[in-house]
Amino acid sequence: MQSPSGVELAGLAGLLIAVPAVALLGNSGRRHTGAARRAHLILAAGGALATAAALAGVLSALLTDAPVPRVSLGSAVALGTAIGTLTLLVGTAVLPGAAESPSAALRHLLDGLVIAASFWFVGWVLLSEPTRILGDATPIACPSVLVPAALAVISLGLTIVLALHAHRPRLVTVRVAGGVTLVAAAAVALGGGICQNRDVDVLCGAVLLPAGLFVIARAVKVADRPVEVVGDVSERGTAYAVVPMFGMVAALGYHLIRGGGFDLYGFLGASVEGFALVGRQYLALGDVRRYTLRLRQSEAHFRELAHTDPLTGLANRRGLQRALKECQASDEPLVLVGIDLDGFKTVNDMRGHDVGDAVLVEVGERLRRNLLAGDVAARLGGDEFAILMHGTADEATLTAHRLLAVLGQPYEIPGGSVFLSASLGVADSPGVADSGELIRDADLALRYAKQRGRTASSATRPATTSCCAGAARWRASCGTRSTGSSCAWSSSRWWRCRRCGRSAPRRCCAGTTRRWGRSGRTSSSRSPRSPA
């Protein structure tokens, strides 16, 4: 056995420095929790494997006199450090901030393979015939060195991808990936140097290995800081996939011009590049499909919110109008029932708005329980509700009487019972041109029901609708022409204008302000029962 040289001893000392770095990684894993703890312990395990393989290889090279090339020893060192490097890559991929999900981690790995395959192909062009940039130093006799070399280019590609797409702050994750790249380069140098007995290569590997581990240990101290997660596919770039392809095409053109040919390693690099691009495209299409589905679901959700009352969960006025338009396409008869709660304002004033909201929610539940398939219940605003039913006016009238009984039952609210009554107006669809006219007819019927008294229902008829519309026009024309004492309204069942002498039924003029009643100019005489 020959005495070790100074370079070999320096390399051994450099590898011993890597042991404290592994200890720092293990200590960091014990101090953290959750995903950071798992990632740090995986990184510590990878660093320990790489360091142990390197120390064992260097000590074996110092203690044995095996002839050069030492293929078996070099292969063992290369494979051992490669396993450690692979473990470090796994720890980097699961590090908090590297990816938001396992699918995102797989996507980053494929992106790294795209870049790594390009580097591999360019390196194959430079190292193979006819270029052979390293000349006689090319480690042809040690093919096992290709394993850590492949992991080195994958680590470099992953570092570039994380620098582009890792969550903020990205510097921590990029430093860890860069440290793994240094460890992979050290594995290549150690395996090739021991195999061909090159002390300079062994020394370079002995320096790069502890340097990479210390970079990783320094970076993971702050790896548990909050990260800004960005999952929008529209914010992802694609230059990392285009630039490697241009590099491969340029290298292939140069290689063919120089008269080079294809071998297994070149074919391997081109194949990995192609399959990685195809796999990346497949994942990208899946991301776009899921993103589009989420957009559609969100759009449907917000569209439904726009047509839904947030308190009761029933349809709102816009939702009722949409249901009317959808139902008008069919020839089925439609009936609209308007509902108004009597005395609800008193409940709000005396018991508070929280109790009033609870009553409205219970009203919505009672209406929903008494609906048939295809019927639509809506809250139009305040204490006003409506029900769109499929059927005739007679059927709807029977339903209205049942609803009066249902809505008139006590409301058991925390703090005591609440007693309310309701008024209902029924409007049917024959002869109705649009949804707005049907809603207006139901409102007129509801007004008439409230004029008759609480707990009442009323149905519109064509004559009543035209009479009410005529009375409204007459009231407007008289009101615009009248001045002070020239026009007065009767307090009987008929309204009469003193100036023009025209009359209209009082039940069709609900809501009119008796402006002259307080001044004593209101006539109390009953006008003739003649239509307006």
Side-chain angles (χ1 to χ4, degrees), residues 118 121-122 124-126 131 242-258:
S118 176
F121 192 84
V122 173
W124 168 75
V125 170
L126 295 177
T131 304
V242 177
V243 174
M245 285 301 301
F246 277 112
M248 287 187 63
V249 171
L252 179 61
Y254 167 80
H255 187 66
L256 294 178
I257 291 174
R258 293 289 303 271

Side-chain angles (χ1 to χ4, degrees), residues 7 25-26 43 71 93 95 110 151 171 206 232 237-238 295 339 359 400 412 446 457 461 486:
V7 176
L25 284 172
L43 290 173
V71 179
L95 198 67
L110 287 177
L151 292 176
L171 186 59
D232 191 351
T238 56
L295 285 180
I339 305 172
V359 171
E412 301 299 334
L446 182 59
S457 64
R461 296 292 184 266
S486 62

Side-chain angles (χ1 to χ4, degrees), residues 134-360:
L134 295 181
D136 295 336
T138 305
I140 299 177
C142 303
S144 58
V145 179
L146 295 176
V147 177
L151 292 176
V153 294
I154 292 175
S155 301
L156 181 59
L158 187 61
T159 303
I160 297 174
V161 171
L162 292 178
L164 295 174
H165 296 293
H167 302 310
R168 298 181 179 88
R170 297 173 180 167
L171 186 59
V172 173
T173 311
V174 173
R175 283 178 177 174
V176 173
V180 176
T181 304
L182 292 178
V183 174
V188 176
L190 287 171
I194 292 175
C195 179
Q196 295 186 325
N197 197 23
R198 295 181 180 274
D199 295 340
V200 177
D201 294 346
V202 174
L203 180 60
C204 291
V207 172
L208 290 177
L209 181 62
L213 292 178
F214 272 110
V215 169
I216 297 172
R218 179 67 180 87
V220 297
K221 284 186 176 182
V222 291
D224 59 341
R225 292 181 180 177
V227 295
E228 179 185 350
V229 178
V230 179
D232 191 351
V233 296
S234 63
E235 298 185 10
R236 301 174 188 165
T238 56
Y240 61 86
V242 177
V243 174
M245 285 301 301
F246 277 112
M248 287 187 63
V249 171
L252 179 61
Y254 167 80
H255 187 66
L256 294 178
I257 291 174
R258 293 289 303 271
F262 260 94
D263 58 11
L264 177 62
Y265 303 120
F267 175 77
L268 181 63
S271 300
V272 171
E273 179 77 9
F275 282 112
L277 285 175
V278 171
R280 183 63 181 86
Q281 184 67 16
Y282 178 79
L283 290 180
L285 290 176
D287 291 340
V288 172
R289 189 181 300 109
R290 286 188 293 270
Y291 185 73
T292 305
L293 180 61
R294 286 198 300 268
L295 285 180
R296 290 179 179 176
Q297 292 174 347
S298 299
E299 182 182 358
H301 173 69
F302 288 115
R303 187 187 297 112
E304 189 64 25
L305 286 180
H307 294 85
T308 304
D309 177 61
L311 179 62
T312 62
L314 304 178
N316 56 14
R317 185 178 295 272
R318 189 181 292 109
L320 179 63
Q321 292 175 346
R322 182 182 66 174
L324 280 170
K325 291 180 181 179
E326 293 175 354
C327 293
Q328 282 177 349
S330 62
D331 296 333
E332 297 181 9
L334 298 176
V335 178
L336 185 63
V337 181
I339 305 172
D340 189 84
L341 301 179
D342 301 323
F344 180 74
K345 185 177 183 302
T346 305
V347 175
N348 268 341
D349 295 340
M350 300 297 294
R351 304 285 294 273
H353 289 278
D354 293 339
V355 174
D357 290 344
V359 171
L360 292 177

Side-chain angles (χ1 to χ4, degrees), residues 472-497:
R473 291 192 298 269
W474 170 78
R475 209 172 54 210
S477 62
C478 289
T480 54
R481 294 201 308 263
S482 62
T483 58
S485 61
S486 62
C487 191
W489 301 102
S490 170
S491 60
S492 63
R493 296 176 62 185
W494 286 75
W495 300 114
R496 180 174 60 84
C497 177

Side-chain angles (χ1 to χ4, degrees), residues 66-154:
V68 179
R70 294 175 287 196
V71 179
S72 299
L73 183 57
S75 300
V77 174
L79 293 177
T81 52
I83 293 174
T85 304
L86 182 61
T87 307
L88 289 171
L89 282 175
V90 174
T92 305
V94 300
L95 198 67
E100 68 272 12
S101 63
S103 61
L106 179 60
R107 185 170 57 246
H108 290 341
L109 179 59
L110 287 177
D111 293 340
L113 281 177
V114 170
I115 300 175
S118 176
F119 282 124
W120 176 279
F121 192 84
V122 173
W124 168 75
V125 170
L126 295 177
L127 296 178
S128 63
E129 296 289 347
T131 304
R132 203 175 184 187
I133 191 173
L134 295 181
D136 295 336
T138 305
I140 299 177
C142 303
S144 58
V145 179
L146 295 176
V147 177
L151 292 176
V153 294
I154 292 175

